[in-house]
Amino acid sequence: AGGGGGGGGAHLFAAGGVGDLDAAVAQQEGTMRDFVWGFLMGLFLGVIMLFFLWERSVSQRQKMGIIAGVSLQLSLNFMNNTNGGSRDSGAELPRDGS
């Protein structure tokens, strides 16, 4: 009548607790879909998405996608600015001297 005290942990493992633990780890790790969504959000929303890196509900792969997307956006902006700024900077001036 008094044997129900300490068997909770063993019962967890016997009832598939290890499989549940693997599922929880896989959910925290994320899928490739999470990576793609994170990449697209990081690319289009930019630096704002860096605040989501501290959210516990965001999976690891989504965080990596956010970092990759923001990095690509910053790289593209940097390359555009080092190539002389805007491309049409001299387009309004006549080139034939008239």
Side-chain angles (χ1 to χ4, degrees):
H11 180 65
L12 175 69
F13 288 111
V18 175
D20 294 340
L21 182 61
D22 290 340
V25 168
Q27 182 182 9
Q28 183 66 23
E29 202 172 291
T31 62
M32 287 307 292
R33 180 180 287 178
D34 292 333
F35 179 82
V36 170
W37 275 113
F39 179 79
L40 292 174
M41 288 188 294
L43 183 64
F44 293 117
L45 298 177
V47 180
I48 295 170
M49 290 304 297
L50 292 177
F51 291 106
F52 285 91
L53 295 178
W54 286 276
E55 285 291 322
R56 299 185 86 189
S57 61
V58 177
S59 67
Q60 292 290 73
R61 287 197 183 173
Q62 193 167 11
K63 289 177 183 180
M64 294 304 293
I66 290 170
I67 291 172
V70 170
S71 298
L72 180 63
Q73 183 195 44
L74 291 175
S75 298
L76 291 174
N77 286 338
F78 179 74
M79 288 178 12
N80 188 28
N81 289 336
T82 57
N83 287 335
S86 64
R87 295 182 181 175
D88 60 350
S89 60
E92 298 174 7
L93 299 174
R95 295 192 181 258
D96 60 357
S98 56

